[in-house]
Each structure stands twice: as C-alpha cells, then as structure tokens.
Amino acid sequence: MNIVAPGIWKIKFGEPEDYTPVKMVKHEDRLELLSQLPHSDEAPIETDRILYKSTKRGFVLELPLDDCEKIYGFGLQLKSFNQTGRKKHLRTNADPVADTGDTHAPVPFYVSTKGYGVLVDTARYVSFYCGSSRKLRTAKTSKDDANKTVANNVRDLYAVRDMDTAGVMTIEIPHASGVEIYLFAGPDMRTAVQRYNLFSGGGCLPPLWGLGNWYRSYTGADAEDVLALAEKIRAADLPCDVFGVEPGWQSQKYSCSYTWHKENFSAPEEFIGKMRDMHLNINLWEHVFVHPTSPIYDELKQYSGDYEVWNGLVPDLSIQDAKKTFAEYHRKALVEKGIAGFKLDECDSSDYTGGWSFPNCAEFPSGLDGELMHSLLGMFYQDTLLSIYREKNIRTYGQVRSSHALAASFPYVLYSDLYDHKDFIRGLVNSGFSGILWNPEVRQCSSVEDLVRRIQLSVLSPQSCINAWMIPNPPWLQYDYDKNLRGEILENYTEVQDLCRKFLELRMSLIPYLYSSFARYRFEGLPPFRALVMEYPEDENTYGIDDQYMMGDSLMIAPVIAGQMGREVYLPEGDWYYFWSDKKFEGSKTYNINAALDEIPIFVKAGTLLPLAKPVQYVTPDTSFEITVKCYGYNCRNFTLFEDDGTTFDYEKGIYNEVKLSFNTEGGFEAVRTGNYLGIKFKISGFEVVE
Ligand code: GAL
C-alpha cells in the first residue's frame, strides 16, 4: 500500500492492466491543495479485510461494508440513487433504459456515508455488487439463521433490500489479472469527494459566458435561419450567451467531415462575424467518427481502429500524433475562425438504440481493445479538443455524451437523448459524487407546464440549455409537436415567453454566485451541485433524497415536475428562507410547499450572504455585474466572490481577486477586494437584510 498524497492510498493487487484511467487520462493532481484538507494517517477502511482472487472470468475484489453504511456514486446514474443493496454493471452506453449500470459516464468510483471513497482504476466494464450478495457463511451461522424467513412473496424477494449485516462489496473486473485501487479518506463523504476531484486535477472553471443561457438551433437550419432566430431571441430580450449549431453545419454529418456545408453555410466567416456582433458564442456539434471526405481522413487512417462507424474512421486519440492531427485541424479551421466550443456527440456507444459503434473486440493501434476504448473515448475526445483552447489560453465550455473516471477538470457537461424529467433531476443529484457535470437540457415539451418546469431545472444546473435540435421554433412559440399544433405558433406565446424569460433572467442573476461555486470546484474540489446526503451525512432523512440538491453552499433546490403544483420538501437542520417570499422555515422537518408555475422551490440557508446580479442579456469580456447582496438573518457566514478575467487561464498563475463579503451587527456590511486582477467584474451596489 502506498500513500499517494495526504489522505489518498493506492493498493495494488495482482498484475494490473496497462490501459487504465489513471495511466491514460489523469491530469496533474493538486497536491498542494490536497494537503490542506483534514485527514488522518489511518486508511479509511481496514485494508487487511480486502480479499482478492483471479478467476476464469477475470479479477475479483471484496471490500468490507458495514451494515450501517450507504453507498453512492458510479457516475451518471439516472435511475437510482442510494446504491446500497444494488448491483451495477458499469458499461458505457447511450440512452440506458434500465437500472443496470449502463450509462453515458460509468465512473468506477463510489463513496460511503462512513466517510471514504474508492476508485477502482479500470476501464473495463466492471461490476459492483454493493452488499447485494451475501458470501457463504460458516455452517453454524447459516444453521442458526435457518428459521429466519428472507421473504415469502415475489415482490419482497425481488425488491432491492438494504444489505445484510456483514455485507461485502464484491467487484468483478473482466479479463484483468490485477488492479490498483485508490482509497480517499474523509473524514466525511464530502471531503472524500473533494480529495478525489483534486486528485483528478481539480474541478473545471467555465468561462463566465458559459454560465449564461444556451440555445441549440434546429438541425435543418441554414445560416440565414440561425441568424434570424438569434435576432428574434435578442429582440425578445431573452438572455442568451451561446448558440449551438447542430449537424446541419457540416457537409457530412454521420460520419463527420468537419467542413462547412457549401450551400447552407456558404460564408462561414461572415456567419460567425454576425453571430459575434450579437455577442453570441458559437458551439458546433460534431462527433469523433471521421468521414472519407474529411481533410483529416488520410492522415488519421494509420491511427484508427479496425472497424468503421457510419462509414467513418474511429481515430485512436490516445496516440499523440492522432490527437495532434485532430486538434490542429480544428484549431486552424474552426477555433481560430472564432468557434468558442464543441458538442462532442456519439462518443458513447449503443446497445439500446440500434447497436451502432465499434465492437468490443475492435483493435486500436495503441493496443487498446474496443471495450477499453468505449470507456475512454469520451475522455480522449475531451482532452483533444480542450488542448486547443489551453494552448491559446482561452477557456471553453462544451458538451459531451460520454465520460469516465477522473473527469472533473474537463469543462464538458454530459447530456442524453433520454428525457424523463425525474431521471434528469436524479442525474443532477448523483453527478456530484463522481466528478462529472450534468445538463438536464430542455427540448420540445408536452405542455406549457412541462416546458416551464423543465426550464426551471435547467437554469439551476451546471449548464442552462435549450436543445431545440428537433424543432424549428423555440419551445415557447410552439411546444407540442406530436399532437395538434403541427407547426402553429401558440396564441398566447408572449405570456409563455415572459414566463421563460423570468427563469432565464434568474440564471443571469445567479452567475456571480455560481461562478464562485465553480471556483471552489477548481481550487477545493468541492462540486458545485451536491446531494443533500453529501452535505448532511449524519442526517438519515437525507439518505434517500434524490430530488433535492444543493447548488453551491447556500441554495437548496427542490424541482417540481409537470402535474404537480407543489411537493414535499425536506429541510435539513437550521433555518431556511423561501427564495421567492423570504418566508422563514425551521429545519429538520418536511413541508408541503405550494409552487405555482412561476416558482420553483428554492430555499436559502440562514446565515447566507447571497450575491444577486441585475440580469444582463449576455456576458462579454467587459461585462461588469451589478450586485445586490442579500443577507439572510443576522448571523452571517462570509461569502467570497471569485473574480478574474472570466475567459483565460491566467487565474492559474494567481491573477484573480477575492471579494470577501461579510456582515455582522457591529461592523455592518463589508466587501473587501484583495488580489491582483485589475478589472472589476462584480460591482457591489446594494445590500439588503432579510429577517
Ligand atoms: C444526438 C444528440 C442530440 C442532437 C442530435 C443531432 O445524438 O444527442 O442532442 O445533437 O444527435 O443529430
């Protein structure tokens, strides 16, 4: 067992594989920051109780589990939350329809309410049996229990149960004859996650504009259509920072040419210029499979796998020369022309939507097989495109459909073609356990209510995004495509649009607060979106809450879905204020909260100093936010606004400010700016006390 950093242990079993997340994709860890977290010198689990063996199927590990601990994590799990008593076969997959472990981001990392985390460093389709299966006991213990009934009906027998006492976490890694695991100490779950994220390189810090609202336009739109829509959105004062252009911009889309469509986007530079004049950042859709007509096809062929996808190459971006060819082309042809970022589609694979993508037995020139490549493809892809922006010292923020372990520092947010609203909420709640970000995007909706409820969730997520790729008009003009509207504009659309604007503006008000929460992700590894159990691990009432979450340190969000006009909300210990009315609530209780369509339940923790900005329509490098600080109660914790240029990596060289907000009854309110960034992004212009 090695100590890798304070509070992180590595244990090697058997002969580990060569192609693992730590060996292939890990960024430099933040050792100096790791040592600032509290830790003890004792490993968080009894390592002499870890068993291992090689079997004909691969490699098996057994880690001890106590009967009182609860397990969370495993990446983007949309269908379940508390994983105790469940099994998860982690496998990269688009559109997972059941709770098997298939996911866009199968992260072999879990955390426990006992206050530790475990990373299994493998890119295999690994299985975790989280206390779901009991090891054979001694004859005596079995006989002692022989008269106890497990259950006597199928419903109970098939239900997920909490594990038995003396549970065990069984981990099976196919094809491997060894593995390394990393243990991350707490003392609590939240610190274990911070440690994991700092080990991954620290969280990402998006550019300020990336935290504004995103609109992805119709896939059939040409340059003129996109410009006309952008103009309409500006004319209607709907705040928007990013316009996504979907497959239609390319001459070949499945697979991709990465060149502009000659007729539909005949003058790309003019198009980019006009969009930028409207202060819109352009994000281009693409995927990694390279069409024969693409300018990089010939060069990449030698570095590609032995199977095609949609007639295109699958480049092995783990090879430096392949990465360079792919990145250089994108730099010259697109980034230097003004493209702000990319949506990295289709880098998962499919067992549920037609079975596309290369087989697990595919072979790649680096030595990776198809299974390993499925796990890591999204990681290599993010790394390749990010490298262009890093080199130019400008930040990007994008979207990706597949990720894996150690992804925290990639500024790419996961999304899916699935659309269940409850699952989208759960995805957000779960993402914070695994160093990933989740975009619960809004597409076409079944009713105005559905639309508004979905927008409410989206604006309170890592990326506020309307993905209208399937619909020519924004969803507030026209929503129900399957039923009767068939292209007709809603009669009361201005009302609907006003309601949507309210929430898009709310997003803009929260940018300074959110940006500072992301700075903590960057520097302290603390995820900006977290499950309540991560915040209140001592409170058993939070163990099953998969539909409420913390956004930053002070806001607790309880989203509502269509069909509800309110919901039960559990408020953990302490006092809380309802954001919309400032009404005070006592914690450690469950309430029935009414939420009319123009409200989503947001509770502010007592003692919060909340910076709220006057909403702007978009963020430019010169934008300065006018901020009113709302102080909830008299006994306030300080809040630190992180301030830098919002667009470059200069903050990594220490060029940033901290604006420390404080309030107490003697000294009153103070905002003290320290640091060496010379601009002012956050102007404090008002202060208000909520009693
Ligand atoms: C899907 C993607 C959608 C949209 C579409 C365009 O794979 O998930 O968001 O981009 O492709 O064809």
Side-chain angles (χ1 to χ4, degrees), residues 323-615:
K323 173 177 168 183
K324 198 163 155 226
T325 304
F326 201 87
E328 275 297 285
Y329 171 79
H330 278 74
R331 178 175 67 76
K332 278 200 206 119
L334 302 165
V335 177
E336 284 183 353
K337 302 280 190 290
I339 297 304
F342 296 89
K343 167 171 171 178
L344 316 183
D345 207 21
E346 320 283 15
C347 47
D348 35 33
S349 74
S350 161
D351 289 276
Y352 302 107
T353 48
W356 52 270
S357 206
F358 50 88
N360 296 336
C361 61
E363 291 180 322
F364 288 85
S366 62
L368 286 164
D369 61 37
E371 176 186 354
L372 297 167
M373 187 56 102
H374 280 310
S375 302
L376 297 176
L377 184 58
M379 300 293 286
F380 297 143
Y381 198 7
Q382 294 175 78
D383 180 51
T384 302
L385 289 194
L386 177 60
S387 70
I388 311 168
Y389 291 96
R390 271 228 157 246
E391 213 179 288
K392 296 180 71 62
N393 192 25
I394 41 176
R395 274 182 265 164
T396 183
Y397 200 35
Q399 301 174 329
V400 67
R401 224 175 60 188
S402 158
S403 206
H404 204 267
L406 309 171
S409 55
F410 285 131
Y412 290 91
V413 186
L414 289 151
Y415 63 95
S416 177
D417 283 343
L418 296 173
Y419 203 42
D420 184 274
H421 196 170
K422 272 197 178 160
D423 287 357
F424 270 29
I425 299 169
R426 193 179 297 109
L428 186 44
V429 179
N430 271 331
S431 59
F433 294 120
S434 304
I436 51 174
L437 299 169
W438 167 240
N439 162 3
E441 64 181 34
V442 182
R443 303 201 288 268
Q444 63 268 49
C445 297
S446 55
S447 62
V448 169
E449 195 191 345
D450 186 34
L451 166 66
V452 175
R453 291 306 190 197
R454 284 177 183 274
I455 288 191
Q456 291 172 345
L457 174 67
S458 174
V459 300
L460 300 171
S461 81
Q463 197 169 58
S464 165
C465 178
I466 290 160
N467 180 11
W469 75 275
M470 270 199 270
I471 51 176
N473 285 316
W476 43 84
L477 293 194
Q478 179 188 357
Y479 55 87
D480 192 340
Y481 280 78
D482 295 334
K483 295 194 188 136
N484 43 23
L485 284 165
R486 303 247 172 259
E488 284 167 34
I489 302 297
L490 277 177
E491 265 174 36
N492 65 340
Y493 89 83
T494 48
E495 255 170 65
V496 181
Q497 191 173 271
D498 289 348
L499 205 47
C500 296
R501 183 186 304 103
K502 170 175 171 168
F503 293 101
L504 299 175
E505 287 183 348
L506 172 67
R507 172 70 173 197
M508 301 312 281
S509 299
L510 288 170
I511 286 183
Y513 170 77
L514 191 54
Y515 191 58
S516 304
S517 308
F518 266 100
R520 293 193 67 188
Y521 191 32
R522 178 75 198 145
F523 293 111
E524 297 168 39
L526 184 66
F529 293 83
R530 309 189 282 279
L532 294 195
V533 65
M534 211 194 281
E535 218 63 5
Y536 301 93
E538 305 293 319
D539 181 350
E540 290 188 10
N541 294 315
T542 64
Y543 288 4
I545 299 183
D546 63 353
D547 59 354
Q548 295 177 213
Y549 59 91
M550 297 302 298
M551 173 174 178
D553 274 349
S554 308
L555 301 182
M556 199 267 287
I557 318 293
V560 172
I561 60 174
Q564 305 175 329
M565 272 303 168
R567 53 163 291 168
E568 271 195 356
V569 178
Y570 176 68
L571 297 180
E573 64 176 7
D575 290 337
W576 297 81
Y577 293 82
Y578 193 59
F579 178 78
W580 303 103
S581 64
D582 292 340
K583 185 176 164 201
K584 194 169 170 181
F585 288 78
E586 221 176 84
S588 304
K589 283 189 186 153
T590 301
Y591 294 88
N592 272 317
I593 302 294
N594 293 326
L597 195 54
D598 62 350
E599 280 176 17
I600 165 171
I602 303 176
F603 289 86
V604 188
K605 219 189 246 183
T608 290
L609 287 172
L610 183 66
L612 281 174
K614 193 166 151 210

Side-chain angles (χ1 to χ4, degrees), residues 32 36 79 377 383 410 647-648 652:
E32 73 293 356
Q36 287 167 19
K79 303 262 176 214
L377 184 58
D383 180 51
F410 285 131
T647 50
T648 72
E652 289 183 349

